[in-house]
Amino acid sequence: YRVFQGLSYKDIDRQYGAIVKLLPWGTDLLCVFEHGIAIVPVNQKALMSTTTGQSIHMYGAGVLQSQVSLITGDYGSVWQESIIRTPIGVYGVDTFAKKIWRYSESKGFETISDMTIQRFLNDHILLKEHSSRPMLALRNVKSHYNNYKGDVMFTFYNYDKNEEWNLCYNERVGKWITRYSWIPLYSENINNIYFSFDKHRSEILSHIENLSGDNYGLKCNSDLFFTVQESLEDIEKTFYL
């Protein structure tokens, strides 16, 4: 849809928080709130019987319906990039409840972190009360999918608490398989090959920002040239002031 009529705008009850992400789910929409998950019907129709015994379909007045079909009112996510769709279902990370959940057609809603990595999440999801905005390479909760292996990776990093981790769940075997030492910032599957951008490699950006700032309160024009080696200690820096 490109143009929505007046009756197509709906106010959804805010008891589950703000809408964080909308995903297509069959002919409907899967809506992830901050503290809930629901199905939003699109172009819903009802089967009605006429006086002559025939059945007809009646459509609503708008595209979206006023009522949603609630999946769960206990779990959701405030981190949009932690919500990811795979061929099996939709995954997300709830940092308030400290749970990792999945919703699929075959099994419905389930918290896949229970009884396996729950203690780890309780100890290592370290966020301030109002820390819910992502900052590239500094703070985020993001999920990645490796289509070739069937791996779903849940990453967390927060510079305030000096905490970062990457947990891997393989949806083909249905088990948590490992914890990686590297943190992908962004990733993509191209021709069934998994490409990612490593967080640790991007730390050079923060060095550049610090080096190109003020000098004793005096702003100067400067040019910075650098070559990236295997470690941050090998960065070559040249300044013209």
Side-chain angles (χ1 to χ4, degrees), residues 148-161:
Y148 179 73
K149 294 183 177 180
D151 288 342
V152 186
M153 289 169 283
F154 303 93
T155 63
F156 175 98
Y157 54 89
N158 183 13
Y159 75 103
D160 288 333
K161 300 294 185 178

Side-chain angles (χ1 to χ4, degrees), residues 129-145:
E129 183 178 356
H130 300 292
S131 296
S132 60
R133 294 184 60 186
M135 299 175 64
L136 185 63
L138 296 178
R139 180 178 61 238
N140 201 5
V141 183
K142 183 173 176 60
S143 302
H144 306 263
Y145 179 64

Side-chain angles (χ1 to χ4, degrees), residues 1-10 12 27-29 39-45 59-67:
Y1 297 93
R2 294 179 180 270
V3 179
F4 291 90
Q5 299 178 356
L7 293 176
S8 297
Y9 292 89
K10 300 294 181 182
I12 305 298
T27 58
D28 300 322
L29 293 175
I39 295 292
V40 180
V42 178
N43 279 337
Q44 192 177 40
K45 56 186 178 181
Y59 286 87
V63 176
L64 300 177
Q65 307 305 309
S66 301
Q67 300 296 326

Side-chain angles (χ1 to χ4, degrees), residues 14 18 42 59 69 82-83 88 96 112 137 144 146 154 158 162 171 180 198 210 233 238:
R14 289 184 61 87
V42 178
Y59 286 87
S69 300
S82 76
I83 305 166
I88 289 183
F96 285 101
I112 61 175
H144 306 263
N146 185 332
F154 303 93
N158 183 13
N162 194 27
E171 62 179 7
Y180 289 117
D198 189 11
N210 293 333
E233 289 75 19
T238 305

Side-chain angles (χ1 to χ4, degrees), residues 48-56:
M48 305 288 293
S49 297
T50 64
T51 55
T52 60
Q54 297 178 343
S55 297
I56 60 174

